[in-house]
Amino acid sequence: MTPDRMPAKERAPRSVLFLCGMNAIRSPMAEVLARSLLPRDIFLASAGLRAGERDPFVDAVLAEKELTLGERLPQSIEDLADTNFDLIITLSPEAHHRALEMTRTIAAEVEYWPTMDPTVVSGTRDRIIEAYRDVRDRLATAIASRFER
């Protein structure tokens, strides 16, 4: 997973939104990873097009890296209605389409980072958790690459 378009690194955004379908797996994972990797002066948030249910596999793979969602619950984009972002990073096709629609009324850059939905993986618990780890590690790599200074 690599960001499709990487703006110049010297134009670091002051606020970033990670957006996916339900804010249950990819976008909250990206938000927590970004909080652990980026300077504290960048405002970070995540949301989904709809609010889903918290996923215990996300908690498990974040705990492996000594990270946590804390008490955070999934939220929808409507929950952030009064917030503006410099950069919206979309993690699913549906979220990307919505973000592009949003740029009709807000000035924000949009980057699409295609990210697999690990819930499509079936089989043993080990196989499923490995899919979640893969998403976590790919997001961490993309965040580090995109925001390295």
Side-chain angles (χ1 to χ4, degrees), residues 16-35:
V16 178
L17 172 65
F18 294 97
L19 186 64
C20 69
M22 294 192 295
N23 193 226
I25 300 169
R26 294 169 286 186
S27 59
M29 198 182 296
E31 179 186 353
V32 168
L33 290 164
R35 286 187 192 288

Side-chain angles (χ1 to χ4, degrees), residues 5-62:
R5 264 187 3 211
M6 289 194 181
K9 289 188 168 120
E10 60 272 3
R11 292 183 301 159
R14 292 183 319 253
S15 58
V16 178
L17 172 65
F18 294 97
L19 186 64
C20 69
M22 294 192 295
N23 193 226
I25 300 169
R26 294 169 286 186
S27 59
M29 198 182 296
E31 179 186 353
V32 168
L33 290 164
R35 286 187 192 288
S36 74
L37 295 168
L38 301 180
R40 300 247 183 247
D41 63 340
I42 298 176
F43 177 77
L44 299 165
S46 66
L49 301 182
R50 320 164 274 295
E53 298 292 322
R54 187 153 167 170
D55 188 311
F57 286 116
V58 171
D59 293 315
V61 299
L62 288 176

Side-chain angles (χ1 to χ4, degrees), residues 115-144:
T115 306
M116 181 193 80
D117 178 356
T119 64
V120 301
V121 174
S122 60
T124 65
R125 183 184 190 287
D126 288 342
R127 185 166 180 226
I128 294 167
I129 200 89
E130 192 54 43
Y132 279 73
R133 285 183 187 122
D134 185 58
V135 169
R136 177 201 63 205
D137 295 345
R138 288 175 184 267
L139 285 170
T141 299
I143 291 164

Side-chain angles (χ1 to χ4, degrees), residues 1-4 26 89-93 111-117 138-139:
M1 166 183 52
T2 345
D4 282 355
R26 294 169 286 186
I89 297 174
T90 60
L91 305 171
S92 69
E111 293 180 14
Y112 178 40
W113 297 1
T115 306
M116 181 193 80
D117 178 356
R138 288 175 184 267
L139 285 170

